[in-house]
Amino acid sequence: MRLDKYFSRKRVLELESDSLEGCLKELIKSCNASFKDLGRKKNLLSGLLRREATMTTYLGNGVALPHLRIKMKRRYVFAFGRCKVGISHDGPKKEEKIHLIILMLAGESTQNYLKVLADVARLVKDKAFIDDLVGTPDLDALCDELLLGFGGMQATAAKRSESSINKLIFNQAMRIAKGANCDFIAVFGDVMSSDRLNPHEGFADFKSILVTKRAKEGKVEASSFDNIIQVRAFSKGRLAQTRSAFLVGITRGIIGVNDKICCVGGIPGSDQFDTIVVIDLRSEFRALLADQESFLPPDILPEVLERVIGIAMELSVEGREGHTVGTLFVVGATKAVEELTKPLVLNPFYGYKEEECNVLSPFMDETVKEYSGLDGAFVIRGDGVLISAGTLIHAPEYLHMLPSGFGSRHAAAAAVSVATECLAIVVSASNGQVTIFRNGIALPLMEKSFDG
């Protein structure tokens, strides 16, 4: 979603206060100057501070995202403040100073509030992007960087020269794609250490996809790619994001289960494309799809699956407090799943508002990771609401043979995915492998390998 239309140069500030409360006052004042009706709302500051006291809005990388839903006709109002010196806060990472504050006000009737929060949070997790924002020399340059980052595909960038080998690879990819009757060409953009990428002009004959971990989509040529799939990579291997990226593409409806894709990649950060692979999605996902035309059960939102997979991959790589973590997420078909479960501990999500315990909220990431150490599974509704944690899955006996190395979590995931129309995502405690189950069939999304 493009968010730049909600930004204004008038609401991009160099903050003068040395406290979070003072900075919020400055940002609210800039919003009131733009929209007079906001000036009549006396509870903005108190509402923001009350939320801050309940749960910190600090996201890491020196960024805070205070937010509030209020009664107003507009969908969103954003204000952006920078403090190069840094502001102290009372969150769990007190040693990190806040350098950037993004104030987000949303109308009470706005439907996709949590998704926008998640989009903003995903963008600011790119440390290189944040460093660029903090380091810009003046507000005009800061505003330009913001518009690039939050403007999606609309910003343009200068073309960069291609190496002769990259040109050769792109030429051959185009020929192979034609010969293999491919529907798409997918370029794995993290091969380039620069933010700018200018694929071969012959790719215009195909529908094109850029697969990248970068949040700064604005620095990609607007006309070059029909779609961008943003997927984090936790391996230096060639085409390491393939399965997770195409699974995201299928769930979003960008690509179809019968499509054939020509992939162009190389070693991330090498600036050298050296690999061409043709993938037939029907063959790649045959076991998972069986006779179905859609991988995603009807009650699960694509962005919820993306978020859960993202959390699972982060747990796989980061672990928790220096230790490896194994956990299980059961997503969708909640009523049927709850009939096959019983609590092992008191439910930590009981009694909270649904908005406050939704995986789409970026402020739930640390909470989910903290509870990942509990025995049992997370049960998550298809719209992202966390129903329970520490839940025992007691599904009917699963008679199929599981691959060697799979343990009790994998067996429970396979069984519950057969008994109900859910998806189950497992993080292995032994090797960090992330596996998704559908109808009892396993698809490894990531193996914990960093040497590529």
Side-chain angles (χ1 to χ4, degrees):
M1 178 180 179
R2 287 193 60 197
L3 300 176
D4 61 319
K5 60 184 177 181
Y6 299 111
F7 277 80
S8 168
R9 173 65 179 80
K10 296 177 181 178
R11 298 192 298 279
V12 178
L13 313 176
E14 290 284 11
L15 298 170
E16 298 178 358
S17 177
D18 59 357
S19 69
L20 182 58
E21 181 176 349
C23 291
L24 289 175
K25 287 179 180 178
E26 292 180 49
L27 293 170
I28 290 171
K29 183 178 179 180
S30 72
C31 293
N32 292 344
S34 297
F35 307 105
K36 300 301 181 184
D37 58 316
L38 292 179
R40 295 191 290 271
K41 299 185 182 300
K42 304 301 182 184
N43 59 346
L44 288 183
L45 180 61
S46 59
L48 289 166
L49 293 176
R50 191 161 51 247
R51 180 180 286 277
E52 197 69 36
T54 303
M55 179 184 293
T56 179
T57 58
Y58 181 68
L59 292 171
N61 287 339
V63 181
L65 178 55
H67 56 283
L68 190 66
R69 299 188 80 157
I70 61 175
K71 189 175 290 186
M72 66 176 181
K73 295 179 180 178
R74 299 164 203 84
R75 295 178 67 195
Y76 298 103
V77 174
F78 282 90
F80 192 98
R82 177 176 69 174
C83 179
K84 290 190 175 183
V85 177
I87 304 158
S88 300
H89 63 100
D90 295 326
K93 299 179 180 179
K94 294 181 181 179
E95 68 280 3
E96 298 181 13
K97 294 276 185 91
I98 296 173
H99 295 281
L100 301 168
I101 300 178
I102 304 173
L103 173 62
M104 173 179 157
L105 303 177
E108 284 183 340
S109 59
T110 302
Q111 298 297 316
N112 60 346
Y113 168 66
L114 286 175
K115 185 177 185 306
V116 170
L117 265 181
D119 287 344
V120 174
R122 182 174 61 179
L123 189 66
V124 300
K125 280 189 175 181
D126 185 339
K127 192 174 186 306
F129 176 44
I130 299 306
D131 290 343
D132 283 350
L133 293 178
V134 175
T136 52
D138 53 46
L139 286 183
D140 289 332
L142 175 60
C143 195
D144 289 342
E145 287 291 325
L146 278 171
L147 291 175
L148 281 173
F150 286 87
M153 294 297 295
Q154 299 304 310
T156 60
K159 293 185 178 180
R160 59 170 296 164
S161 60
E162 298 169 354
S163 73
S164 58
I165 296 178
N166 284 349
K167 287 181 180 179
L168 176 63
I169 290 291
F170 285 150
N171 277 324
Q172 294 304 316
M174 185 178 61
R175 293 177 183 175
I176 290 170
K178 286 181 178 178
N181 294 318
C182 290
D183 303 283
F184 289 85
I185 292 181
V187 178
F188 285 71
D190 296 335
V191 171
M192 306 305 291
S193 57
S194 166
D195 284 325
R196 295 169 182 162
L197 182 63
N198 181 35
H200 192 283
E201 59 187 17
F203 285 10
D205 297 335
F206 300 88
K207 289 178 282 188
S208 59
I209 299 172
L210 174 67
V211 178
T212 178
K213 68 179 180 181
R214 297 190 185 106
K216 289 178 75 172
E217 298 168 358
K219 287 197 173 180
V220 178
E221 286 267 349
S223 61
S224 298
F225 298 97
D226 297 310
N227 293 284
I228 289 181
I229 297 177
Q230 185 182 334
V231 178
R232 287 187 70 183
F234 297 98
S235 167
K236 294 292 185 181
R238 294 171 172 85
L239 307 178
Q241 301 144 293
T242 302
R243 278 187 170 172
S244 53
F246 292 161
L247 189 61
V248 168
I250 290 173
T251 58
R252 283 193 201 167
I254 294 173
I255 52 182
V257 296
N258 293 309
D259 285 337
K260 196 179 289 185
I261 302 176
C262 179
C263 305
V264 185
I267 297 175
S270 67
D271 287 328
Q272 186 63 70
F273 290 95
D274 60 13
T275 304
I276 302 173
V277 177
V278 173
I279 294 179
D280 186 331
L281 292 184
R282 175 58 71 176
S283 299
E284 183 75 10
F285 294 100
R286 178 186 292 122
L288 267 182
L289 291 168
D291 295 325
Q292 305 167 96
E293 287 301 313
S294 174
F295 166 79
L296 196 67
D299 67 321
I300 300 178
L301 298 176
E303 55 266 30
V304 171
L305 178 60
E306 286 182 51
R307 192 70 215 103
V308 174
I309 289 175
I311 293 172
M313 288 185 169
E314 289 170 13
L315 279 171
S316 168
V317 173
E318 300 166 3
R320 200 67 184 156
E321 297 180 352
H323 302 285
T324 58
V325 171
T327 194
L328 167 60
F329 301 93
V330 181
V331 186
T334 307
K335 289 185 178 179
V337 169
E338 286 185 313
E339 294 178 2
L340 305 174
T341 64
K342 71 175 184 179
L344 294 173
V345 296
L346 292 175
N347 182 8
F349 302 115
Y350 180 78
Y352 286 90
K353 295 178 182 178
E354 292 186 352
E355 183 181 290
E356 294 175 349
C357 56
N358 192 304
V359 292
L360 292 177
S361 170
F363 307 103
M364 286 303 297
D365 287 12
E366 288 301 313
T367 301
V368 171
K369 291 175 183 178
E370 191 65 33
Y371 288 129
S372 64
L374 295 174
D375 288 334
F378 290 93
V379 177
I380 303 173
R381 216 165 63 192
D383 60 359
V385 175
L386 283 148
I387 301 299
S388 63
T391 304
L392 176 67
I393 304 293
H394 187 66
E397 186 176 359
Y398 181 68
L399 300 177
H400 292 73
M401 292 292 293
L402 289 172
S404 175
F406 280 12
S408 58
R409 284 190 184 88
H410 298 87
V416 75
S417 71
V418 169
T420 68
E421 282 291 310
C422 74
L423 294 175
I425 297 105
V426 180
V427 181
S428 172
S430 58
N431 62 10
Q433 179 173 287
V434 178
T435 307
I436 188 167
F437 286 84
R438 174 86 156 106
N439 297 322
I441 306 299
L443 177 72
L445 293 181
M446 181 191 103
E447 295 184 11
K448 195 171 181 181
S449 172
F450 301 100
D451 297 322

